[in-house]
Amino acid sequence: MMRDRNPLDINRDGWNRLVSEENVWTRPVTSDVIDRARQGDWSVLLTPNRPVPREWLGDVAGKDILCLAGGGGQQGPIFAAAGARVTVLDASTSQLAQDEKVARRDGLSLRTVEGYMHDLSTFEDASFDLIFHPASNCFAPEIEPVWRECFRVLRAPGILLAGFMNPDVYIFDYWAQENGEMIVRHSLPYSDLNDLSETELARMIGEGHVVEYSHTLEEQIDGQTRAGFVLTGLFEDRDLGRPGTGRSKYMPALFATKAEKLSPRG
């Protein structure tokens, strides 16, 4: 039964499969994108459509950046081409292979590490200046451990940039949405493991999806402040390719935050 499997393993295997299917979030950037980044012309995404404001990032040259659950050959290579020292951590070996492929192709230096976003024990305290965490914590059963680990491995001053799902999107029946219908079905907090039948769960995973969880805004935002961060920026975004249809017609489907680990007062 699907429910008897470790959901982290289900998602790791699912993302490995999505790479072979060329899912949009597994397609590496082109050499042209890397060439432009080397010249200072670049942008990165935490959410599907809106580039992260450059003032959130500052000058990344010479900075130690962790792309957290950010494999796929997209953001990490761009940061490396812009002059940063980059580490990409992801549970999917196939996603990490995409970053390694771009690095070999375009002569970039970056490090890849296989692991889960809630366990950064492979890194020492104060290892990074910036953590870039694209919308992916919907695949983690708990997210407060993610925020605590991010705070630990960041230097002060340091910045955590994170994208995440609007929890409200999970109230709708998944398959009805695929047919263009918005049918309220689930209460929150939602989990594929708890709110779908075994048959539905097997169907969803068989169709190439991974297990998702609807973490509350309290966990997403106040969870960061409880870990020690100060929230200094937020923006909204819509679904990729469908900003005026489906759930994105009625509300933002994703958020992104900028949170800072401040230097202690001297």
Side-chain angles (χ1 to χ4, degrees):
M1 294 177 65
M2 287 292 178
R3 258 179 257 279
D4 295 331
R5 292 187 60 199
N6 184 331
L8 297 176
D9 293 341
I10 293 175
N11 285 351
R12 177 200 61 207
D13 296 344
W15 277 104
N16 285 340
R17 182 180 63 249
L18 288 171
V19 171
S20 67
E21 296 172 357
E22 299 185 349
N23 174 275
V24 64
W25 302 119
T26 73
R27 301 172 194 166
V29 294
T30 64
S31 292
D32 182 60
V33 170
I34 296 301
D35 289 341
R36 292 201 304 271
R38 284 183 163 127
Q39 298 168 26
D41 177 14
W42 56 273
S43 64
V44 285
L45 294 170
L46 288 167
T47 58
N49 299 294
R50 290 185 64 175
V52 175
R54 285 293 289 269
E55 59 267 25
W56 281 22
L57 293 154
D59 182 5
V60 301
K63 290 186 178 178
D64 293 302
I65 296 181
L66 173 62
C67 293
L68 180 60
Q74 298 177 356
Q75 290 83 24
I78 290 175
F79 283 130
R85 293 185 293 269
V86 177
T87 300
V88 182
L89 182 139
D90 203 284
S92 165
T93 54
S94 296
Q95 280 284 74
L96 293 174
Q98 302 294 68
D99 292 274
E100 294 163 359
K101 181 191 302 182
V102 176
R104 288 193 303 271
R105 183 192 70 199
D106 296 318
L108 299 171
S109 177
L110 57 78
R111 176 190 179 196
T112 59
V113 178
E114 183 179 353
Y116 293 111
M117 67 186 85
H118 67 280
D119 179 8
L120 305 183
S121 57
T122 190
F123 305 123
E124 295 181 356
D125 294 356
S127 293
F128 301 100
D129 302 299
L130 172 68
I131 295 177
F132 195 83
H133 183 37
S136 58
N137 69 27
C138 55
F139 309 123
E142 298 179 89
I143 59 169
E144 297 215 30
V146 177
W147 304 139
R148 291 195 295 268
E149 280 288 85
C150 286
F151 191 83
R152 180 184 66 79
V153 303
L154 266 179
R155 299 183 181 118
I159 296 173
L160 166 65
L161 303 181
F164 53 88
M165 300 299 298
N166 180 345
D168 291 348
V169 303
Y170 291 96
I171 68 174
F172 300 109
D173 181 272
Y174 171 77
W175 286 283
Q177 288 185 73
E178 290 294 291
N179 295 324
E181 300 177 273
M182 305 303 295
I183 298 176
V184 174
R185 174 183 173 186
H186 305 292
S187 61
L188 300 178
Y190 169 85
S191 161
D192 285 337
L193 292 177
N194 296 331
D195 292 280
L196 297 180
S197 69
E198 180 67 26
T199 300
E200 289 173 316
L201 183 61
R203 176 187 171 189
M204 176 171 282
I205 294 172
E207 291 178 354
H209 297 275
V210 288
V211 174
E212 296 191 27
Y213 307 83
S214 76
H215 305 297
T216 66
L217 286 178
E218 183 176 340
E219 292 171 312
Q220 296 283 14
I221 295 175
D222 195 42
Q224 294 184 49
T225 64
R226 285 195 295 269
F229 288 103
V230 175
L231 192 70
T232 57
L234 182 147
F235 67 76
E236 302 172 341
D237 202 359
R238 307 277 168 162
D239 287 315
L240 182 65
R242 298 187 296 175
T245 61
R247 62 198 188 189
S248 282
K249 183 178 180 180
Y250 303 101
M251 61 184 174
L254 301 99
F255 300 104
T257 54
K258 177 186 179 186
E260 300 186 42
K261 179 177 181 177
L262 302 179
S263 297
R265 294 179 178 178

